[in-house]
Amino acid sequence: MKPILVTGGAGFIGSNFVRHWLNMEPSPVVNLDKLTYAGNLASLSSIAQDSRHSFVRGDICDERLVGELLHAHRPWAIIHFAAESHVDRSIHNGQDFIRTNVEGTFCLLQAAREYLNHLSSEERSAFRFVHISTDEVYGSLRPDAPAFTESTPYAPNSPYSASKAAADHLVRAFHHTYVLPTITTNCSNNYGPCQFPEKLIPLMIHNALNGKSLPVYGDGSNVRDWLYVLDHCEAIRQVVHKGALGETYNIGGQCEKNNLEVVKEVCAILSELRPGPNYASLIRFVEDRPGHDLRYAVDISKVRREIGWTPKESFSSGLRKTICWFLENSSWVESVTSGSYREWIDIHYEAGRQRIGQ
């Protein structure tokens, strides 16, 4: 049976997708990941002995390597997760974001286009290039504004979101210019197992368990639509099979929460599952990041109507599962919370950035 090619399959969403796909589908997976700081083979340990999973360490900017993989394995779909994804890192240094998110996506599209020229008409008609993007490309919403739809104009406000917007436009261009069979998905904030502890929820869990401060930007009023990662993976799986070529689908959790609400709920669940310290007393408000978008929310009417997908997890149920996973997988956390991770946290949350408040 022909496989699918997954890029970034050792990262947070990618590794969850690979495991979910192999649990739900007969098609094997060829997994291409550069293994940067956010990629971790420990996230794939549960499928280490699964013969349907082939891991290749490599860069999506290496068009020759990608081409060789395509011609050797002849996948019927490419699922493109590989990306630099942390807004704060992009603010400090956006160069890696341009290289991976823009140049890497371009190289992948070029390789896919060349690959299709060698397929039969039947194979070409079955092929899919699914590009995983973000709701951040749409910009920021006012508190009373309707959620983003697939026709919302792009207005990225960070180097990260700008790089993803550029990638989205390249995918669209390759479909319209070269008739490459592409589909784009724009998701809201993901959370769940195997998320690197630089993002809000795993950072709060990790810091709370270690008695460290829980840094919250500004006054904690920034709102995000929270999507449990396995709900997202199921949506992508269904889009691969049912999505219309050239279309975009917004995928969200329908769980809008501001950052302070999220942190307080993390503290409440931890107090129940790991009683002891007053976790909420560790909350500290820090200087807001530049250009911090006020609110994101996506309208999932299209993916519900055309694909038949809706999220299963509420924020409370998904968060509890996430915290339980982190509590039960301390060795995974220890393996990633060293070296570059500690250096990043030290630089980004040094004492000079913290302000006394609330």
Side-chain angles (χ1 to χ4, degrees), residues 189 200-201 204 215-226 256-266 283 285 288-289 292-294 315:
N189 272 37
L200 180 64
I201 288 175
M204 296 303 108
V216 177
Y217 281 133
D219 62 2
S221 62
N222 300 79
V223 174
R224 299 295 182 261
D225 175 15
W226 294 94
E256 287 191 55
K257 298 277 186 179
N258 69 43
N259 288 345
L260 187 55
E261 288 178 302
V262 170
V263 176
K264 286 182 176 180
E265 192 158 349
V266 168
I283 295 173
F285 294 88
D288 209 351
R289 74 182 178 207
H292 197 177
D293 288 339
L294 177 62
F315 183 71

Side-chain angles (χ1 to χ4, degrees), residues 111-335:
R113 179 187 168 208
E114 192 277 335
Y115 169 62
L116 255 64
N117 291 332
H118 296 273
L119 298 182
S120 67
S121 58
E122 182 180 357
E123 289 172 321
R124 283 197 300 272
S125 66
F127 184 79
R128 300 287 184 271
F129 184 112
V130 181
H131 169 60
I132 313 304
S133 190
T134 172
D135 58 359
E136 297 191 37
V137 298
Y138 298 122
S140 184
L141 285 171
R142 299 186 312 274
D144 59 345
F148 300 128
T149 69
E150 289 81 0
S151 61
T152 299
Y154 275 28
N157 289 321
S158 71
Y160 161 63
S161 57
S163 69
K164 290 297 289 185
D168 292 5
H169 290 319
L170 284 170
V171 172
R172 175 184 172 86
F174 267 69
H175 174 72
H176 285 272
T177 302
Y178 306 114
V179 201
L180 193 70
T182 64
I183 303 170
T184 295
T185 62
N186 294 87
C187 69
S188 60
N189 272 37
N190 278 225
Y191 67 98
C194 299
Q195 187 170 28
F196 191 76
E198 65 184 352
K199 301 296 179 73
L200 180 64
I201 288 175
L203 177 62
M204 296 303 108
I205 297 170
H206 175 71
N207 280 15
L209 291 173
N210 287 278
K212 297 180 179 180
S213 66
L214 308 182
V216 177
Y217 281 133
D219 62 2
S221 62
N222 300 79
V223 174
R224 299 295 182 261
D225 175 15
W226 294 94
L227 173 64
Y228 187 62
V229 66
L230 291 180
D231 276 338
H232 185 196
C233 293
E234 176 58 17
I236 296 168
R237 186 183 75 86
Q238 293 190 34
V239 165
V240 172
H241 291 296
K242 304 176 187 177
L245 299 183
E247 291 296 317
T248 295
Y249 297 94
N250 284 345
I251 301 172
Q254 296 188 303
C255 295
E256 287 191 55
K257 298 277 186 179
N258 69 43
N259 288 345
L260 187 55
E261 288 178 302
V262 170
V263 176
K264 286 182 176 180
E265 192 158 349
V266 168
C267 291
I269 296 175
L270 278 175
S271 294
E272 177 189 338
L273 299 177
R274 186 68 62 84
N278 179 4
Y279 296 111
S281 69
L282 299 173
I283 295 173
R284 300 289 183 270
F285 294 88
V286 300
E287 180 184 346
D288 209 351
R289 74 182 178 207
H292 197 177
D293 288 339
L294 177 62
R295 173 177 167 245
Y296 305 138
V298 297
D299 184 333
I300 65 169
S301 298
K302 181 176 179 179
V303 72
R304 181 193 294 119
R305 180 179 65 252
E306 297 187 10
I307 307 299
W309 173 87
T310 55
K312 292 182 178 178
E313 298 292 342
S314 67
F315 183 71
S316 294
S317 65
L319 184 60
R320 181 173 291 271
K321 289 182 177 181
T322 300
I323 292 174
C324 286
W325 185 89
F326 276 90
L327 290 174
E328 294 165 3
N329 290 271
S330 58
S331 61
W332 182 92
V333 178
E334 290 170 6
S335 73

